[in-house]
């Protein structure tokens, strides 16, 4: 059940008068550097200085994240407020999935390792700077992707990529959260043999059979640019971008990794990319497959359907003058 099943749509002025609306902030205490107390103090201090109404809804148990997000949506709807997610990209995904169809304004305070969503929209990674920008923000509708109806803001994938994410999380639990740990984890994962998947894909009237270790569907212009996939403009035209490859060995996978790190992935002969609005992937006799959306891993029923969501997220982004003021 979504938030829209239990409440009416917001009034026509729900997206106006942002400077007066209260914030209902879902704070994932387990995200990023796990400095939730410090983050709470910064938020409380800056909101008090600004004379802004707000309510913090901390989450210490990850299994209660969606429940807490629903509480925030109800409060924001009843009080004409704004839902804010404070956490990594996985947290932003979870909270936005509850907010999306309500049409309520949605703000973010990045607290993760990569923070692709915030960085793509010019939101500072520093908590104090991010809160100051939030207080002086405006709405920019943001495209959302869907995998079998489940939203994603950064990317969705199946095959090798979810395995990379699983191993990365295990390494982070053991060695700490950093980009270097993530890189070393990828090197170790790619050192092992990987299963090739034979799939049939349909998009834009095209039917293709692919044998591939993975397909990643991207919805983040910053991530595409960083990898060297020069198709970020497609995201402005109600498209997502698929990234895949033919069967390759370990050395070729290392080559793909290195090209991605050097922002030259789009130049690789063994990398295939294409844009689409809706992509259906048939898995042969497989009924379920492990997938990932914004770093969160689960099993999905085949066929897999990747598509652009019919609604856009009413995302709060910094005003130009606010960004300049804090720099």
């Amino acid at each position: 059940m979504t938030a829209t099943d239990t409440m009416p749509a917001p009034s026509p002025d729900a997206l106006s008068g942002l400077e007066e609306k209260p914030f209902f902030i879902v704070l994932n205490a387990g995200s990023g550097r796990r400095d939730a107390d410090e983050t709470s103090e910064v938020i409380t201090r800056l909101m008090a200085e600004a004379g802004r109404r707000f309510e913090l809804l901390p989450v210490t148990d990850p299994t209660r994240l969606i429940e807490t997000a629903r509480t925030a949506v109800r409060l924001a709807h009843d009080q004409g407020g704004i839902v804010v997610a404070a956490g990594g990209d996985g947290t932003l995904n979870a909270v936005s999935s509850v907010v999306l169809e309500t049409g309520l304004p949605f703000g973010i305070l990045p607290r993760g390792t990569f923070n692709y969503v915030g960085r793509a929209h010019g939101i500072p990674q520093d908590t104090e700077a991010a809160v100051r920008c939030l207080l002086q923000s405006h709405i920019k509708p943001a495209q959302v992707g869907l995998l079998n109806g489940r939203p994603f803001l950064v990317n969705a994938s199946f095959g090798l990529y979810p395995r990379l994410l699983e191993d990365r999380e295990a390494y982070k639990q053991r060695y700490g959260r950093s980009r270097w740990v993530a890189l070393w984890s990828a090197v170790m994962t790619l050192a092992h043999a990987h299963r090739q998947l034979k799939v049939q894909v349909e998009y834009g009237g095209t039917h293709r059979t692919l044998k591939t270790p993975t397909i990643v569907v991207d919805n983040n212009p910053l991530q595409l640019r960083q990898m060297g996939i020069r198709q970020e403009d497609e995201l402005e035209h109600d498209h997502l971008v698929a990234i895949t490859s033919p069967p390759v060995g370990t050395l070729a996978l290392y080559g793909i990794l290195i090209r991605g790190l050097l922002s030259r992935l789009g130049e690789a002969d063994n990398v295939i990319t294409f844009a689409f609005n809706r992509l259906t992937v048939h898995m042969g006799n497989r009924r379920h497959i492990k997938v990932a959306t914004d770093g969160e891993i689960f099993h999905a029923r085949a066929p897999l359907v990747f598509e652009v969501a019919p609604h856009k997220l009413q995302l709060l982004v910094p005003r130009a003058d606010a960004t300049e003021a804090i720099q």
Side-chain angles (χ1 to χ4, degrees):
M1 177 179 293
T2 65
T4 52
D5 294 323
T6 58
M7 61 184 65
S11 60
D13 64 347
L15 304 181
S16 63
L18 294 175
E19 65 279 358
E20 302 297 330
K21 294 180 178 295
F23 292 115
F24 298 94
I25 304 170
V26 180
L27 171 61
N28 187 349
S31 290
R33 297 177 298 277
R34 302 182 185 275
D35 53 355
D37 291 341
E38 180 181 341
T39 299
S40 297
E41 186 279 326
V42 170
I43 293 172
T44 300
R45 172 171 54 83
L46 294 179
M47 291 292 173
E49 289 176 2
R52 192 68 169 266
R53 285 197 299 134
F54 77 101
E55 182 174 339
L56 274 175
L57 293 84
V59 179
T60 56
D61 179 358
T63 64
R64 301 194 62 185
L65 185 57
I66 293 294
E67 176 188 346
T68 305
R70 288 174 176 154
T71 298
V73 164
R74 285 195 295 270
L75 291 169
H77 187 278
D78 293 345
Q79 299 183 42
I82 297 167
V83 178
V84 178
D89 288 333
T91 300
L92 308 188
N93 174 297
V95 180
S96 68
S97 70
V98 181
V99 175
L100 179 60
E101 293 186 1
T102 70
L104 290 167
F106 178 62
I108 66 175
L109 297 174
R111 298 186 65 245
T113 303
F114 293 98
N115 297 322
Y116 276 114
V117 178
R119 291 162 60 207
H121 293 282
I123 298 170
Q125 297 184 75
D126 173 75
T127 299
E128 180 160 343
V131 174
R132 292 188 186 280
C133 283
L134 181 66
L135 288 163
Q136 303 179 61
S137 55
H138 68 101
I139 287 177
K140 178 183 178 182
Q143 175 174 285
V144 176
L146 300 176
L147 168 52
N148 286 11
R150 182 166 176 157
F152 61 92
L153 304 178
V154 181
N155 63 46
S157 60
F158 67 91
L160 175 59
Y161 195 73
R163 168 73 183 281
L164 286 165
L165 295 176
E166 276 188 319
D167 291 351
R168 186 180 77 187
E169 189 60 30
Y171 270 72
K172 285 181 178 181
Q173 292 292 331
R174 185 173 181 181
Y175 299 110
R177 293 181 176 272
S178 76
R179 288 178 172 84
W180 289 109
V181 170
L183 175 59
W184 180 245
S185 168
V187 169
M188 297 304 294
T189 302
L190 296 181
H192 300 87
H194 306 292
R195 180 180 182 182
Q196 305 296 327
L197 300 170
K198 186 175 182 180
V199 299
Q200 293 77 42
V201 299
E202 301 175 27
Y203 63 96
T206 299
H207 293 71
R208 299 173 64 178
T209 298
L210 297 175
K211 193 171 184 181
T212 178
T214 193
I215 293 181
V216 179
V217 173
D218 210 295
N219 185 44
N220 187 274
L222 175 62
Q223 188 173 66
L224 288 172
R225 286 195 299 272
Q226 285 190 342
M227 291 188 295
I229 304 294
R230 308 301 179 190
Q231 292 178 271
E232 65 266 27
D233 289 347
E234 293 286 355
L235 304 181
E236 300 295 327
H237 301 287
D238 296 325
H239 286 154
L240 302 167
V241 177
I243 307 165
T244 186
S245 75
V248 292
T250 299
L251 288 179
L253 287 172
Y254 281 140
I256 290 173
L257 174 63
I258 291 170
R259 283 183 178 272
L261 293 172
L262 296 175
S263 299
R264 297 177 58 186
L265 191 61
E267 301 173 12
D269 293 335
N270 51 11
V271 171
I272 302 166
T273 64
F274 55 90
F276 64 90
N277 179 267
R278 179 185 173 93
L279 169 70
T280 302
V281 182
H282 298 276
M283 311 296 300
N285 294 326
R286 295 180 66 107
R287 299 183 64 183
H288 295 85
I289 187 169
K290 187 180 293 183
V291 301
T293 55
D294 295 347
E296 302 301 314
I297 298 168
F298 60 99
H299 282 84
R301 188 175 183 87
L304 303 179
V305 179
F306 301 86
E307 60 189 328
V308 175
H311 302 97
K312 291 198 173 185
L313 194 62
Q314 302 304 309
L315 183 65
L316 294 183
V317 301
R319 296 202 311 258
D321 56 343
T323 304
E324 293 170 359
I326 66 171
Q327 289 180 341

